[in-house]
Amino acid sequence: QVQLVESGGGLVQTGGSLSLSCAASGRTFSNFAMAWFRQAPGKEREFVAFISWTGVTTDYADSVKGRFTISRDNAKNTVYLQMNSLKPEDTAVYYCATGNPGYGFTNMGSAYRYWGQGTQVTVSS
């Protein structure tokens, strides 16, 4: 099994910034893609951002494009999510995931095998 642990969540005001980290341990593989998803109470899990194993290819949900940046450091087995210009609608539990999604499935949660426990992000008005 691969263990993923998110950190960096917290409470921030509208317009503020927050940086999330997800550290992988155990039987990790640097050639796995990584992604961030989020889920608010009473809502479905939604895709946030994706990064390929090389870090060259990224993708973002339209709702966060231009505000969030995903990056990774394979030497540290860590993926990051820099969140700027935060809005109340960004409030959710954020989860990182890793796996080997096929082309066209990088935004699908079912394409990822390993998941972290989540970290709470709350954006106040």
Side-chain angles (χ1 to χ4, degrees):
Q1 290 284 343
V2 173
Q3 294 83 48
L4 302 175
V5 180
E6 301 96 336
S7 62
L11 175 64
V12 65
Q13 294 186 125
T14 297
S17 298
L18 208 58
S19 182
L20 305 182
S21 298
C22 175
S25 62
R27 299 176 184 177
T28 59
F29 297 93
S30 62
N31 64 338
F32 275 13
M34 302 192 79
W36 289 94
F37 291 78
R38 66 187 183 186
Q39 187 169 23
K43 296 184 178 180
E44 297 289 330
R45 178 183 61 191
E46 65 174 340
F47 167 76
V48 176
F50 159 86
I51 188 166
S52 65
W53 76 273
T54 64
V56 173
T57 302
T58 59
D59 189 36
Y60 299 91
D62 289 342
S63 59
V64 307
K65 193 172 298 182
R67 300 187 297 120
F68 291 10
T69 302
I70 188 171
S71 62
R72 68 186 297 165
D73 186 339
N74 287 346
K76 298 180 179 179
N77 292 320
T78 301
V79 64
Y80 307 93
L81 186 68
Q82 178 64 48
M83 304 184 293
N84 299 322
S85 301
L86 284 163
K87 306 174 181 179
E89 52 262 44
D90 295 319
T91 295
V93 176
Y94 283 69
Y95 299 90
C96 66
T98 188
N100 190 25
Y103 183 82
F105 295 91
T106 56
N107 63 346
M108 298 293 293
S110 60
Y112 297 88
R113 181 171 178 82
Y114 303 103
W115 294 79
Q117 85 290 345
T119 186
Q120 177 70 49
V121 172
T122 302
V123 184
S124 65
S125 301

